[in-house]
Amino acid sequence: AKDMGGQGFRHFAPDMTTRAANSLQIEGRLRQALENNEFSLMFQPIVRPGSPDVLIVETLLRWKNDQNEIVTPDQFIPVAEESGLILDIGRWVLHAACRQASHWRQTRATPIVVSVNASPLQLANPKFCDDVQAAMEAAGLPPALLAIEMTERMMVAEDAIISANICRLTQMGVRVALDDFGTGYSSLSYLTRYQIQCIKIDRSFIDKIECDLQARALVQAIIGIGKSLNVVMVAEGVETQGQAALLESLGCDYLQGYLIGRPVVAEAL
Ligand code: C2E
Ligand code: CA
Ligand code: CA
Ligand code: CA
């Protein structure tokens, strides 16, 4: 396993060996998956409250394994991160996303920004911006049509590199979004440390805003912070009309979730 950063030591559990063997097996299959082109992207629309126009789409990775089963990222991203394979997979995602974005740019009347999830390990890689640049160039995509979503899911030590990468992305004209906002240890400090243009409020807060006044107050406060920092606010996991109406009244800029649309293949957008 890679450096676990500040998270330190895992306790030994009786099932550790089986879990390690399992990881090794998945790792081998992920390598094959890259070679055999078993990955694909789904796209989920992001809209302005009250408007049907799709202005942004988030790319979500899928793996169709050799048994023709669709495997969701939660089941393989952790292994890909532990093994370092996420760098190769992430590069594949960047190229596929830029290609699709470029295709939409040529075929649609209104531009679509494509928002790509990046693992903290990618962002901690000194070559990350070169990868992004190469993917945009290969696809002929202007940087304004690409966004990168980062999380603090995993503690990463090389934070000077992350900081430099975010700076450079911003200089290149690629927007950076802070994903799953409110769930990590340091969401707020990230806002002062990095040049973030967009905040995605985590679904766990949006879930509760209709019935839980505290959750609603918290979302209101987060949106207020975003506004005062001139950051674009996106609500994730919007599933009901009630949530959408509340978020609109709180001044949320963009909505994403099953209410607006589930992740779909590119042709279905
Ligand atoms: P995320 O970035 O927070 O993506 C949103 C997840 O919530 C997606 O799950 C999406 O399908 C789901 N979702 C969207 N709207 C709703 C809703 O209204 N209700 C509910 N219940 N769920 C909703 P998915 O596709 O399984 O992705 C899970 C996570 O895997 C993502 O969370 C992201 O962290 C990671 N991931 C996805 N694609 C990539 C990728 O290309 N690279 C990396 N490093 N991570 C990825
Ligand atoms: Ca995301
Ligand atoms: Ca998220
Ligand atoms: Ca999430």
Side-chain angles (χ1 to χ4, degrees):
K2 278 261 148 79
D3 177 23
M4 296 283 292
Q7 288 191 327
F9 306 93
R10 289 197 192 156
H11 293 287
F12 182 81
D15 64 350
M16 273 298 272
T17 41
T18 35
R19 244 195 297 156
N22 235 329
S23 289
L24 265 179
Q25 204 187 2
I26 298 176
E27 187 187 327
R29 288 164 70 201
L30 283 173
R31 259 179 228 288
Q32 276 180 349
L34 265 175
E35 279 168 28
N36 300 347
N37 222 0
E38 292 172 358
F39 289 111
S40 64
L41 293 180
M42 299 280 267
F43 300 87
Q44 188 176 30
I46 302 175
V47 301
R48 291 254 185 214
S51 159
D53 301 339
V54 177
L55 303 177
I56 312 172
V57 294
E58 177 175 2
T59 66
L60 295 160
L61 185 58
R62 296 291 180 267
W63 171 24
K64 197 182 204 178
N65 67 16
D66 46 15
Q67 266 110 60
N68 254 359
E69 298 155 340
I70 303 283
V71 189
T72 54
D74 295 327
Q75 299 170 260
F76 63 86
I77 295 278
V79 177
E81 285 176 335
E82 275 176 49
S83 61
L85 256 185
I86 192 67
L87 295 182
D88 289 328
I89 296 174
R91 219 172 281 124
W92 181 89
V93 169
L94 278 169
H95 278 267
C98 287
R99 257 197 317 272
Q100 186 58 52
S102 182
H103 177 74
W104 278 325
R105 177 170 173 254
Q106 282 152 20
T107 53
R108 289 176 67 113
T110 48
I112 293 188
V113 174
V114 172
S115 196
V116 177
N117 291 289
S119 161
L121 279 182
Q122 287 175 271
L123 275 145
N125 176 4
K127 295 226 159 63
F128 180 63
C129 293
D130 295 337
D131 289 346
V132 173
Q133 186 74 47
M136 290 191 303
E137 271 170 24
L141 185 74
L145 294 183
L146 182 68
I148 300 289
E149 300 190 9
M150 63 176 293
T151 59
E152 48 169 330
R153 206 159 11 93
M154 185 195 264
M155 300 282 278
V156 180
E158 305 92 331
D159 131 348
I161 300 177
I162 296 184
S163 182
N165 275 339
I166 293 173
C167 226
R168 202 173 138 210
L169 285 173
T170 306
Q171 281 164 359
M172 284 159 58
V174 174
R175 268 166 284 199
V176 179
L178 189 48
D179 202 358
D180 302 337
F181 188 84
T183 59
Y185 316 86
S186 51
S187 296
L188 284 176
S189 70
Y190 267 48
L191 291 180
T192 55
R193 225 181 311 154
Y194 303 131
Q195 295 178 30
I196 306 287
Q197 287 88 32
C198 173
I199 288 175
K200 301 189 75 172
I201 308 169
D202 193 68
R203 181 172 83 226
S204 55
F205 299 103
I206 308 304
D207 266 351
K208 291 182 283 194
I209 53 170
E210 281 182 285
C211 53
D212 179 340
L213 285 178
Q214 271 182 321
R216 189 183 307 177
L218 205 55
V219 168
Q220 184 168 14
I222 293 173
I223 292 174
I225 292 170
K227 296 264 161 206
S228 60
L229 293 174
N230 216 2
V231 165
V232 170
M233 303 303 297
V234 180
E236 293 191 315
V238 180
E239 293 183 353
T240 70
Q241 288 290 352
Q243 290 166 351
L246 259 172
L247 287 160
E248 180 169 14
S249 75
L250 295 177
C252 190
D253 300 302
Y254 289 93
L255 308 180
Q256 175 180 9
Y258 292 169
L259 175 73
I260 290 91
R262 287 180 179 259
V264 290
V265 295
E267 298 74 38
L269 250 171

